[in-house]
Amino acid sequence: MGPSFKLILAVFWVWVDGSHLHYSDGRYSRHTSEKTFGHFIKDSQCQHMLKHLHNGARITVQMPPNVEGQWVSTSCEVRPGPEFLTRSYRFYTNNTFLAHQFYYDDNHCTKPTYTLVIRGRLRLRQASWIIRGGTEAEYHLHRVQIVCHTDTVAKQLSLRLISSCRGAVKGPWEPSMMYNLWSEEGGYDCSRELNFAMHELQLLRVEKQYLHHNLDHLVEELFLGDIHTEPSQRLYYKPSSYQTALQSAKNHDHGCIACRIIYRSDEFHPPILPPRADLTVGLYGQWVSQHCEVRPEVLFLTRHFIFHDNNHTWEGYYYHYSDPVCKHPTFIIYARGRYSRGLHSTRVMGGTDFVFKVNHMRVTPMDLPTTSLLNVFSGNECGAQGSWQVGVEQDVTLTNGCMALGIRLPHTEYELFRMEQDAHGRYLLYNGQRPSDGSSPDRPEKRATSYQMPLVQCSSSSQQLDHSQRYTDGPHSDCTGWHRGGLKHTAVTVVTLITVLSL
């Protein structure tokens, strides 16, 4: 939903930190965050939740990450295609791993179809220069096997693979039997027919946090690389963002029923999650990010959306940052427009189609590099030429958007939504995953078949304070004082770089 923006020039930052071992909720950014969002934070539950994220949310990121142990999905996941699956990955002390990917015929993961069993070796490399806070890794597969769970699926898959894997598939398959798709000594690769790849292991990030400030309730999450939105491109794609996190089987949210079910499962006993009804997507109230989100190509942000169901209008605040824990603001985009509800998706079970239009936009640079970037461009195609100041918002509607940020107004996108409740009864809102090639879903055939990380409902009311109140501490917030706590930064160079911002 919302606009797709391309930042033509961006600034690479070199960060010098004494330890390089983790990011945590240091004191140096709290004052900055409070000034950035002003008194508005104190009056809104939604802004309170965002402020918690901006203050680090008591998250510690291990660098390099320790992935030893078992990690499991927290719910039924949706991959582009669509594919419905749950995952259970175990990493051993000798650097080998055993991964289970359980696939299903439905969007609640109650009807298992087949399971992939993947064995291999993982080697952690260096901290990622592309995705700050992530670690690059190399993997080597030893064996990929498959177990079908119904007669129909066994017959369909064996017929599908027999032409592309001659010599490997000998006659119809049987359910509950394990078959090789690929092995080092086999001389064939049937996994390509399923668009299978484990490139998600090329990018890793482990986060630790204590829920509700309870030192007895540690939750560890493993973020692995994202999956290309075009299934045929998976074999060639290097991750530049993350999938929905897996949680540690040892240290997981105690309310996660799916975690316990998946933990106890194997290839012959696939997890069957509790059946649940599809919730009707109700776009009303306010919704915010649960994490500092990562977008492909070095983009960190949090989102806050307000839906007015009485007149089908929406508002969105996109808070952008230069760091993976969303402490150091770079710019804010406010957008608004109209939306129309469509029918239940015919492509993605459980999804609902929407059409969103953007016809108004405001931009606020929050640091000197972004402000300088906006002032570089000549002409009046992004607000008034040369007039940008740190912390001062400008309306770019009259200039039909902002060429410096690749924004063109008006803009229309074809969206996919779904809604569900988490283990704590909170409503979650999922919207379509952005195309991996950086394009916009500006045609019906480009509508997403998978989802981004969900937003959580923070208020059932769409009423909010005036946007300008978030700057009541003055426009010149302490955006340049990022050196607190021993952290230093240096602007190295301005380079040509394409990044994508999306809702």
Side-chain angles (χ1 to χ4, degrees):
M1 181 185 77
S4 175
F5 311 122
K6 292 187 178 180
L7 183 59
I8 306 304
L9 294 178
V11 178
F12 273 157
W13 296 93
V14 171
W15 298 76
V16 182
D17 188 354
S19 67
H20 287 284
L21 294 178
H22 68 275
Y23 298 97
S24 62
D25 57 333
R27 297 180 181 178
Y28 63 86
S29 65
R30 186 167 293 115
H31 181 64
T32 301
S33 295
E34 290 178 353
K35 282 201 166 189
T36 299
F37 299 104
H39 297 309
F40 187 58
I41 292 177
K42 303 175 184 177
D43 300 323
S44 165
Q45 171 65 13
C46 299
Q47 288 298 325
H48 174 77
M49 293 172 70
L50 284 176
K51 177 187 174 185
H52 180 63
L53 291 181
H54 302 152
N55 286 340
R58 296 188 179 273
I59 289 175
T60 297
V61 179
Q62 290 184 321
M63 296 290 284
N66 178 13
V67 298
E68 182 182 338
Q70 186 171 355
W71 305 81
V72 295
S73 299
T74 60
S75 64
C76 187
E77 301 176 359
V78 185
R79 282 187 174 180
E83 295 175 342
F84 306 110
L85 78 157
T86 59
R87 294 177 289 160
S88 177
Y89 293 179
R90 181 180 290 275
F91 298 92
Y92 299 96
T93 55
N94 63 357
N95 297 326
T96 61
F97 67 85
L98 171 63
H100 287 82
Q101 295 181 353
F102 305 99
Y103 290 84
Y104 300 82
D105 195 40
D106 68 304
N107 61 309
H108 296 299
C109 293
T110 64
K111 301 175 182 177
T113 53
Y114 66 90
T115 297
L116 295 182
V117 183
I118 306 106
R119 292 176 172 82
R121 181 177 297 274
L122 181 71
R123 180 185 178 189
L124 300 182
R125 304 291 292 181
Q126 67 279 349
S128 174
W129 283 94
I130 303 300
I131 306 298
R132 291 192 52 224
T135 297
E136 296 179 359
E138 294 178 348
Y139 74 91
H140 179 76
L141 295 182
H142 295 159
R143 187 180 298 272
V144 180
Q145 297 171 297
I146 188 170
V147 177
C148 299
H149 302 303
T150 69
D151 288 318
T152 301
V153 171
K155 182 179 296 184
Q156 289 176 345
L157 282 179
S158 57
L159 289 175
R160 177 179 168 185
L161 296 174
I162 195 168
S163 60
S164 59
C165 294
R166 296 185 182 279
V169 180
K170 301 176 181 178
W173 283 352
E174 299 290 336
S176 301
M177 297 290 292
M178 183 173 285
Y179 298 94
N180 287 334
L181 289 179
W182 182 90
S183 65
E184 289 182 295
E185 66 278 1
Y188 54 85
D189 184 3
C190 299
S191 66
R192 297 177 68 90
E193 181 66 25
L194 300 177
N195 291 315
F196 167 79
M198 284 296 288
H199 296 344
E200 60 192 283
L201 296 179
Q202 293 177 334
L203 181 66
L204 305 92
R205 174 180 169 90
V206 172
E207 291 186 359
K208 292 185 176 182
Q209 65 173 315
Y210 293 94
L211 291 188
H212 315 299
H213 311 301
N214 183 354
L215 296 181
D216 294 325
H217 195 176
L218 172 65
V219 172
E220 293 182 285
E221 293 186 309
L222 172 62
F223 293 84
L224 297 175
D226 63 327
I227 307 297
H228 200 287
T229 52
E230 177 57 50
S232 63
Q233 297 300 311
R234 289 183 188 175
L235 301 176
Y236 318 104
Y237 178 66
K238 183 166 183 170
S240 59
S241 183
Y242 298 107
Q243 296 178 69
T244 300
L246 303 174
Q247 285 194 7
S248 167
K250 179 181 178 181
N251 297 310
H252 65 270
D253 187 339
H254 297 164
C256 181
I257 297 175
C259 297
R260 296 195 293 270
I261 295 174
I262 298 169
Y263 170 73
R264 296 193 297 263
S265 302
D266 60 36
E267 59 268 29
F268 298 109
H269 306 89
I272 299 176
L273 301 190
R276 54 198 308 180
D278 289 329
L279 295 181
T280 300
V281 177
L283 291 189
Y284 62 88
Q286 302 186 47
W287 306 77
V288 295
S289 299
Q290 300 183 87
H291 301 274
C292 179
E293 299 176 1
V294 185
R295 291 291 182 273
E297 308 297 348
V298 209
L299 199 63
F300 307 101
L301 78 158
T302 58
R303 302 175 286 161
H304 177 192
F305 288 94
I306 304 102
F307 297 102
H308 306 275
D309 59 337
N310 60 324
N311 59 6
H312 286 186
T313 60
W314 69 278
E315 303 172 73
Y317 296 93
Y318 305 79
Y319 305 103
H320 292 79
Y321 302 85
S322 61
D323 65 298
V325 290
C326 289
K327 290 184 181 180
H328 308 301
T330 54
F331 64 97
I332 301 170
I333 288 179
Y334 166 80
R336 72 169 184 254
R338 305 187 64 84
Y339 68 88
S340 59
R341 183 191 186 94
L343 302 174
H344 291 297
S345 173
T346 58
R347 297 182 65 193
V348 185
M349 187 183 301
T352 302
D353 293 341
F354 281 81
V355 177
F356 275 78
K357 297 180 183 293
V358 188
N359 51 35
H360 183 95
M361 191 166 295
R362 302 195 294 258
V363 177
T364 309
M366 297 303 297
D367 66 352
L368 290 176
T370 304
T371 306
S372 300
L373 168 67
L374 294 174
N375 282 324
V376 163
F377 288 83
S378 60
N380 292 318
E381 294 185 324
C382 184
Q385 178 181 344
S387 64
W388 293 94
Q389 300 178 51
V390 173
V392 178
E393 180 183 78
Q394 278 203 50
D395 193 320
V396 297
T397 306
L398 294 179
T399 55
N400 296 319
C402 178
M403 283 298 293
L405 298 176
I407 301 169
R408 277 297 189 187
L409 296 180
H411 183 72
T412 300
E413 291 198 349
Y414 294 84
E415 259 292 0
L416 177 73
F417 277 83
R418 75 178 170 100
M419 186 179 290
E420 65 178 35
Q421 284 183 286
D422 67 9
H424 304 285
R426 301 178 303 173
Y427 285 101
L428 304 179
L429 183 66
Y430 296 77
N431 71 287
Q433 184 177 348
R434 307 300 299 186
S436 299
D437 62 6
S439 63
S440 168
D442 52 7
R443 300 189 305 274
E445 60 269 23
K446 296 186 68 175
R447 200 188 303 265
T449 59
S450 57
Y451 301 96
Q452 299 180 39
M453 290 187 181
L455 304 170
V456 63
Q457 188 175 49
C458 55
S459 173
S460 59
S461 170
S462 59
Q463 298 299 315
Q464 59 162 340
L465 295 181
D466 184 78
H467 175 67
S468 63
Q469 293 188 32
R470 70 187 63 214
Y471 302 113
T472 51
D473 284 333
H476 300 291
S477 60
D478 192 12
C479 297
T480 58
W482 297 354
H483 58 280
R484 293 192 186 94
L487 189 65
K488 301 179 182 179
H489 70 277
T490 306
V492 180
T493 183
V494 178
V495 298
T496 300
L497 180 67
I498 299 295
T499 64
V500 178
L501 159 67
S502 60
L503 181 136

